[in-house]
Amino acid sequence: PLAAGLGELRAAAARWVGRRFGAALDPDTEVVPTLGSKEAIFSLAQIVVNRASGRDVVVVPTPGYPVAARGAAFAGAEVLEAVLDPARGWLPDPDALPWDRVALVWLTSPGNPTGAVAPPALMDELAARCRAHGAVLASDEAYCELWFGDRAPHSALELADRTGVLAFHTLSKRSSMPGYRSGFVAGDPELVAALKRFRPSVGTAPQTFVQRASVAAWDHDDHVAQARARYAAKREVLLPALLDLGLEDVGGDASFFLWLRVAAGDDDDEAFAARLLTEVGIVVAPGSYLGTGGSGHVRVALVPNLEACARAAELLAGWRP
Ligand SMILES: Cc1ncc(COP(=O)(O)O)c(C=O)c1O
């Protein structure tokens, strides 16, 4: 199998980007299929970072999804954690980066664990600063189809100039297909061409039957609207019960996570999560496990079914931390 995958799959991905973001992509030069998005996120630093040039800093958001940082470390890059500030809505500050040494900037929007959504102006500014300094902007948009408010998250693919920009997409969250391992990377044709040269060395496109299933998934939107409604229903039963405990909802309004500040005076997130597990039987992720800047918070994943979320809310109503 070729790294480029099936033409039908690249075309379906481009059709979805057109419908969802109003952005036009050339399926042959601007899209490459991936095995989910994780492996592509992990390996991007290997094609972007050039240690000999002294441009070897990879910027990752923290608290965040840890794979980009690990991939950068394996590529021998210096990993710079951009600590997300609640006062900035958990979004990165372009002025805080050492631009002369930056090779790659990761943006995760919507954020994991924060659910924060980057406005187009921030994407534009990060892309422009990356371009001016010869760096790449990598936009991890795994949760872009899952939002709770009335505004759908934007994509870096909407930028008028996509030079130096790549966006990472996956069917894992959108179509609840994590086991299929199917996604794609899209953006700057030079970077896509580099990925097509690199990827045969480490793996190729998903199996053909997975690619064909993926065409169907990208071409249909009804099941995505249904998934979005399911996550919203689960959030509605669970969030009030968590707020009643004194937790504060400090996250954005997208992804399938709740990002909560542990009650003041009891801000040891690990201890809180341990008590929730042992005394109520509910598993949440302590924010301090999700990187610098996460302590004092917990991440609740709305992944059990609605019945289980309702049961969790009932159990929480009878518990006091
Ligand atoms: C922010 C983010 N990006 C990417 C991924 C990777 O998902 P997949 O490899 O299933 O596409 C995840 C998975 O949890 C994630 O949270």
Side-chain angles (χ1 to χ4, degrees), residues 34-41 64-67 106 108-113 140-143 168-173 177-179 181-183 256-257 299:
T34 54
L35 296 139
S37 55
K38 180 189 251 189
E39 54 88 5
I41 291 169
Y65 178 63
V67 172
W106 279 97
T108 309
S109 175
N112 171 3
D140 175 357
E141 302 176 357
Y143 296 96
F168 291 68
H169 286 282
T170 174
L171 288 172
S172 296
K173 330 289 176 184
M177 290 167 64
R181 311 311 303 140
S182 182
F256 53 46
F257 300 116
R299 185 190 70 181

Side-chain angles (χ1 to χ4, degrees), residues 116-233:
V117 175
L122 177 61
M123 290 183 171
D124 200 22
E125 172 159 17
L126 285 170
R129 301 276 280 263
C130 281
R131 248 188 322 273
H133 292 90
V136 169
L137 174 65
S139 185
D140 175 357
E141 302 176 357
Y143 296 96
C144 69
E145 292 271 59
L146 305 178
W147 69 88
F148 301 113
D150 46 16
R151 278 179 304 162
H154 288 272
S155 169
L157 296 173
E158 295 168 43
L159 296 173
D161 186 352
R162 293 194 293 247
T163 313
V165 174
L166 287 175
F168 291 68
H169 286 282
T170 174
L171 288 172
S172 296
K173 330 289 176 184
R174 172 190 195 273
S175 298
S176 311
M177 290 167 64
Y180 283 68
R181 311 311 303 140
S182 182
F184 67 88
V185 180
D188 185 331
E190 272 189 31
L191 293 168
V192 168
L195 283 168
K196 284 183 188 164
R197 288 194 299 275
F198 168 81
R199 293 181 57 76
S201 302
V202 287
T204 56
Q207 295 91 330
T208 303
F209 58 90
V210 170
Q211 293 192 55
R212 294 203 192 286
S214 306
V215 171
W218 289 117
D219 272 341
H220 289 83
D221 298 324
D222 287 357
H223 68 288
V224 185
Q226 287 161 11
R228 204 156 40 234
R230 276 198 304 274
Y231 286 120

Side-chain angles (χ1 to χ4, degrees), residues 50-57 100-102:
N50 179 354
R51 279 198 287 164
S53 73
R55 187 174 280 284
D56 61 351
V57 170
D100 290 341
R101 297 190 46 221
V102 171

